Amino acid sequence: MKIIIVGATGTIGKVVTDELKKRHEVISVGSKSGDFQVDITSSTAIQNLFKQTGKFDALISTTGSAFFGPFNELTEEKMNDSIKSKLMGQVNLVLEGRKFINPNGSFTLTSGILSEDPIKMGAALSLVNGAINSFVIGAAVEMENGVRINAVSPGVVENSRDYYGPYFPGHVPVAMDRVVAGYVKSVEGAITGQVIKIY
Amino acid sequence: MKIIIVGATGTIGKVVTDELKKRHEVISVGSKSGDFQVDITSSTAIQNLFKQTGKFDALISTTGSAFFGPFNELTEEKMNDSIKSKLMGQVNLVLEGRKFINPNGSFTLTSGILSEDPIKMGAALSLVNGAINSFVIGAAVEMENGVRINAVSPGVVENSRDYYGPYFPGHVPVAMDRVVAGYVKSVEGAITGQVIKIY
């Protein structure tokens, strides 16, 4: 398969790339590195990306950021920025990517545990993750030509220990190979419209 | 209690208003009718609303629209419009309303069954509903002064028979009094951070 991974140089994307490279053609995309660069907050940039990559069989997104901070500092602007990046960035990868995806291809987006298991400072991430989960559920029933779409929703990953220590009290870190397996299941498996929870 | 209902003249809002008026002071807000008018896509308009209503004990939102149409006609613009109305409209009612809500007050937003039980043409609504659900989950843990926040997620309501007939095949319509009970539970009850599913 020809697989595009957007966010290929991030904590998760890097390991997913290493795994899928063993048996597929992987095109790595980052904001500043990788085979191609893209600003996912720009749908024009996303269109240009696909013009360069051409047709593909699977797209994996492990990218996008959202505001992480106290709820009483969460403003409309910070929420809109979060939506523009981790939510609409990933949605636009699908809306533009569907014009380039081969029949029976797949989209795999990334959400996260905060959609249902909240922490302090995480309201914007909760919103974005819940939106991604429900988007793949809603979009899957109308995908054409056998194209599938899923979301991987990881818990706190073991490799990001600094991150979960102070901020995710009591969250049990998830082994990276379990997270990678979620992406492999979505790309190489048969399911669609699923939130693949890794926690 | 002093209760503000935004969307008070809609299918659900009207009945919720009638029920809560029996024992509370209800301020009805609509886009074109009610005690006050507000354009929920404008945070400035929302700020002006609260300046007029003053402090309150509960805010109920039964408002907001989202694109309903074939997935292959769903564009970035239509998704952004959906987010601006049913998602950020309701989020901004909370972000602005928290400056006016009394201690131990409550916010009650409205999502819907499509977050997890999809239909054709519903992808934008699925996304928005999932985002609302996860927002209340994320925001509840940081609400101050005992303020609570929940979402009511109704299935197709019996009163909207024309709507669910062709578009929601096999969905069992929900009795309006059950939907109203969801809002009563959120406002008069004790729970917070909950998605109150009425289906």
Side-chain angles (χ1 to χ4, degrees):
Chain A
M1 275 189 261
K2 179 176 170 183
I3 303 174
I4 299 173
I5 304 187
V6 182
T9 55
T11 308
I12 291 176
K14 201 165 46 186
V15 194
V16 173
T17 300
D18 288 347
E19 173 62 25
L20 290 173
K21 262 191 170 161
K22 293 176 187 168
R23 50 192 179 280
H24 302 286
E25 176 196 353
V26 173
I27 295 173
S28 64
V29 181
S31 55
K32 290 175 186 134
S33 55
D35 300 325
F36 296 98
Q37 287 77 51
V38 70
D39 170 9
I40 58 150
T41 66
S42 159
S43 52
T44 309
I46 290 174
Q47 287 163 9
N48 288 335
L49 169 70
F50 290 123
K51 279 178 197 159
Q52 292 173 280
T53 64
K55 297 250 175 196
F56 61 87
D57 298 297
L59 180 133
I60 294 173
S61 163
T62 56
T63 189
S65 62
F67 174 71
F68 189 76
F71 183 70
N72 59 25
E73 293 175 15
L74 176 57
T75 58
E76 177 187 21
E77 189 188 359
K78 285 171 181 161
M79 190 64 99
N80 279 333
D81 287 346
S82 307
I83 287 171
K84 199 170 179 184
S85 177
K86 190 173 179 183
L87 177 51
M88 284 306 293
Q90 297 198 88
V91 167
N92 280 330
L93 285 170
V94 176
L95 297 185
E96 298 299 334
R98 63 187 167 177
K99 303 165 192 166
F100 291 86
I101 195 164
N102 287 324
N104 304 313
S106 68
F107 293 102
T108 307
L109 309 184
T110 299
S111 57
I113 190 171
L114 298 188
S115 65
E116 61 175 5
D117 193 359
I119 58 171
K120 284 178 186 172
M121 308 211 284
L125 269 166
S126 289
L127 181 151
V128 165
N129 291 343
I132 288 291
N133 289 346
S134 292
F135 174 66
V136 306
I137 290 169
V141 298
E142 286 186 272
M143 283 286 170
E144 294 170 346
N145 304 313
V147 172
R148 299 177 298 105
I149 180 168
N150 299 294
V152 173
S153 177
V156 167
V157 182
E158 59 179 0
N159 299 30
S160 52
R161 190 166 289 269
D162 290 342
Y163 195 70
Y164 73 76
Y167 300 124
F168 289 74
H171 278 237
V172 179
V174 177
M176 184 59 97
D177 59 355
R178 284 190 58 210
V179 176
V180 172
Y183 293 90
V184 171
K185 179 187 270 189
S186 178
V187 171
E188 299 181 354
I191 60 177
T192 190
Q194 300 294 309
V195 177
I196 303 168
K197 297 181 183 180
I198 314 292
Y199 48 83
Chain B
M1 275 190 262
K2 179 176 168 183
I3 303 174
I4 299 173
I5 303 186
V6 182
T9 55
T11 308
I12 291 176
K14 201 163 46 181
V15 193
V16 172
T17 300
D18 288 346
E19 173 62 25
L20 290 173
K21 263 193 170 163
K22 294 176 187 168
R23 52 193 178 278
H24 301 288
E25 176 196 354
V26 174
I27 295 173
S28 64
V29 181
S31 56
K32 290 177 187 135
S33 55
D35 300 325
F36 296 99
Q37 287 77 51
V38 71
D39 170 8
I40 58 152
T41 66
S42 159
S43 53
T44 309
I46 290 174
Q47 287 163 9
N48 288 336
L49 169 69
F50 290 123
K51 280 178 197 158
Q52 292 174 282
T53 63
K55 296 253 178 192
F56 60 88
D57 299 297
L59 180 134
I60 294 174
S61 163
T62 56
T63 189
S65 61
F67 174 71
F68 189 76
F71 183 69
N72 60 23
E73 293 175 15
L74 176 57
T75 58
E76 177 189 22
E77 190 189 358
K78 285 171 182 163
M79 191 65 100
N80 279 334
D81 287 345
S82 307
I83 287 170
K84 201 169 178 188
S85 176
K86 189 173 180 183
L87 177 51
M88 284 305 293
Q90 296 198 86
V91 167
N92 279 330
L93 285 170
V94 176
L95 297 185
E96 298 299 334
R98 63 187 168 178
K99 303 165 192 165
F100 290 87
I101 196 166
N102 288 324
N104 305 311
S106 68
F107 292 103
T108 307
L109 308 184
T110 299
S111 58
I113 190 171
L114 298 187
S115 64
E116 62 175 4
D117 193 358
I119 57 171
K120 285 179 185 168
M121 308 211 282
L125 269 166
S126 289
L127 180 151
V128 165
N129 290 343
I132 289 290
N133 289 347
S134 291
F135 173 67
V136 306
I137 290 169
V141 298
E142 286 186 272
M143 283 286 169
E144 295 171 344
N145 303 314
V147 171
R148 299 177 297 106
I149 180 169
N150 300 294
V152 172
S153 177
V156 167
V157 181
E158 58 179 1
N159 300 30
S160 52
R161 190 166 289 271
D162 289 343
Y163 194 72
Y164 72 75
Y167 300 123
F168 289 75
H171 278 239
V172 180
V174 177
M176 184 59 96
D177 60 354
R178 284 190 57 211
V179 177
V180 172
Y183 293 90
V184 171
K185 180 188 268 189
S186 178
V187 171
E188 299 181 354
I191 61 178
T192 190
Q194 301 294 310
V195 178
I196 302 169
K197 296 181 185 180
I198 313 292
Y199 46 86

